[in-house]
């Protein structure tokens, strides 16, 4: 059981990062490969300003890092284990969603 404040804060930061669909898309794109902001904005079909705001949030959460490459900056996941964690989380959520064992799920709108 998580009781340490630091553990709870780490999970809260991860949750905050995943709370927005654009940030999820950024994380999934960076899971595939590091990218420059202009390329990410084009790939995700969002403005560079909007992307910049989301990248700042992800940096603040400690999930991505900016790596200087000459006069440009490339973004990548802060740790390769984050890519595995995203895969594991997605797989677990899909599995739980498919397993409707709660008899009251439809009535209560849960599970």
């Amino acid at each position: 059981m998580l009781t340490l404040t630091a553990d709870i804060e780490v999970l809260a930061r991860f949750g905050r990062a995943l709370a927005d669909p654009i940030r999820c898309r950024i994380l999934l794109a960076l899971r595939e490969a590091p990218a420059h902001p202009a390329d990410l904005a084009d790939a995700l079909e969002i403005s560079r300003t909007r992307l910049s705001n989301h990248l700042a949030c992800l940096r603040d959460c400690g999930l991505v890092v900016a790596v200087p490459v000459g006069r440009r900056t490339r973004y990548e996941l802060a740790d390769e284990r984050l890519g595995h964690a995203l895969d594991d989380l997605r797989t677990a959520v899909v599995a739980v969603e498919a397993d409707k064992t709660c008899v009251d799920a439809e009535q209560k709108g849960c599970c």
Side-chain angles (χ1 to χ4, degrees):
M1 181 171 156
L2 292 176
T3 55
L4 296 174
T5 302
D7 290 340
I8 294 168
E9 288 176 8
V10 166
L11 288 177
R13 281 196 324 260
F14 194 62
R16 184 173 46 246
L18 295 178
D20 186 280
I22 291 175
R23 288 194 293 271
C24 290
R25 292 173 60 207
I26 293 168
L27 288 170
L28 292 173
L30 293 177
R31 181 195 69 194
E32 297 299 321
H36 295 281
D39 298 330
L40 271 174
D42 291 344
L44 300 176
E45 298 179 338
I46 60 173
S47 72
R48 292 181 186 186
T49 301
R50 195 168 183 194
L51 177 76
S52 178
N53 291 333
H54 287 291
L55 285 172
C57 176
L58 292 171
R59 275 193 323 269
D60 290 344
C61 289
L63 300 179
V64 301
V65 293
V67 179
V69 180
R71 294 179 3 166
R72 298 178 71 194
T73 299
R74 181 185 71 221
Y75 281 85
E76 57 189 49
L77 295 178
D79 188 295
E80 69 180 41
R81 291 174 289 189
L82 290 170
H84 300 294
L86 290 167
D87 289 337
D88 291 344
L89 183 59
R90 184 186 49 78
T91 302
V93 169
V94 168
V96 168
E97 191 173 86
D99 182 21
K100 299 290 185 182
T101 57
C102 177
V103 294
D104 297 326
E106 287 192 33
Q107 190 175 38
K108 291 181 179 177
C110 63
C111 307

